[in-house]
Amino acid sequence: STSATSGVVSSGLVGHWTFDGPDMLQNIVDKSGSGNTGYLKNVVATSTFPGVVGQAMHFDGSNDYVSVPDSASLSPTAGLSVFGWVYQDTGANNKAIFTKWNHGVAHTFILQTNNSSGQLVLYMSTQGVGAGESSVTSGSGVISARGWHYVGFVFDGAGASGTDRAKIYIDGVAYSVGG
């Protein structure tokens, strides 16, 4: 279901981080109610600027990130959707957008830029890093530098292969090219 006032999905939601001032006094409050607080790493809460919806964070591209500790709610076995607004200052190669990539932990993923043309790649594993890995790319779908894009992926754990199980979305358009 979607809240009529906020446009945010509420059913099954396990993480929602707004990056808005009141939600970022020291860390990033998880507005989903699941308690998945984000912790700022090498960046301060005052590194915000206007986003598409509310505020956004500015990361320098070298070592800034938000860390959310692993929890059962962030390890679904049937499927997963992860989405957010991104803005790249420049075309960047191999820059992570969303990551849950731990050795020995099942249901890991990383969505990152694949090359300086703005193509995205999603690596995923249902058995932990190094086992059962597959990947899909956005193919002709790219994110341009100096522009906002709504990006993410949908992973259906029931599919037979990577391209059947996952799709990358850029600005509402689905892409799925086997890697």
Side-chain angles (χ1 to χ4, degrees):
S1 68
T2 303
S3 166
T5 57
S6 69
V8 175
V9 174
S10 56
S11 176
L13 187 66
V14 297
H16 179 216
W17 303 272
T18 69
F19 299 118
D20 290 339
D23 299 332
M24 291 185 42
L25 298 178
Q26 292 181 332
N27 294 302
I28 302 171
V29 173
D30 173 14
K31 302 292 280 188
S32 75
S34 296
N36 292 311
T37 299
Y39 297 93
L40 301 169
K41 303 294 183 179
N42 302 312
V43 65
V44 294
T46 57
S47 299
T48 60
F49 64 99
V52 174
V53 179
Q55 289 179 283
M57 290 291 301
H58 183 267
F59 301 103
D60 67 14
S62 73
N63 65 352
D64 298 355
Y65 62 99
V66 176
S67 175
V68 178
D70 194 23
S71 72
S73 68
L74 297 174
S75 297
T77 56
L80 175 70
S81 299
V82 178
F83 283 86
W85 286 99
V86 299
Y87 181 99
Q88 286 195 118
D89 290 331
T90 61
N93 191 17
N94 298 325
K95 295 295 182 182
I97 299 171
F98 307 114
T99 304
K100 180 187 175 189
W101 200 250
N102 297 319
H103 291 279
V105 176
H107 309 291
T108 60
F109 60 83
I110 181 169
L111 179 67
Q112 69 181 36
T113 56
N114 192 33
N115 53 45
S116 59
S117 71
Q119 187 182 56
L120 300 180
V121 63
L122 171 66
Y123 298 99
M124 65 208 136
S125 171
T126 57
Q127 302 168 20
V129 176
E133 290 180 27
S134 57
S135 66
V136 294
T137 68
S138 61
S140 62
V142 298
I143 59 173
S144 59
R146 305 237 177 254
W148 284 102
H149 297 279
Y150 191 64
V151 303
F153 67 89
V154 173
F155 173 71
D156 174 5
S161 68
T163 55
D164 291 337
R165 293 189 323 204
K167 297 215 181 306
I168 296 172
Y169 286 80
I170 301 174
D171 299 323
V173 178
Y175 299 92
S176 178
V177 179

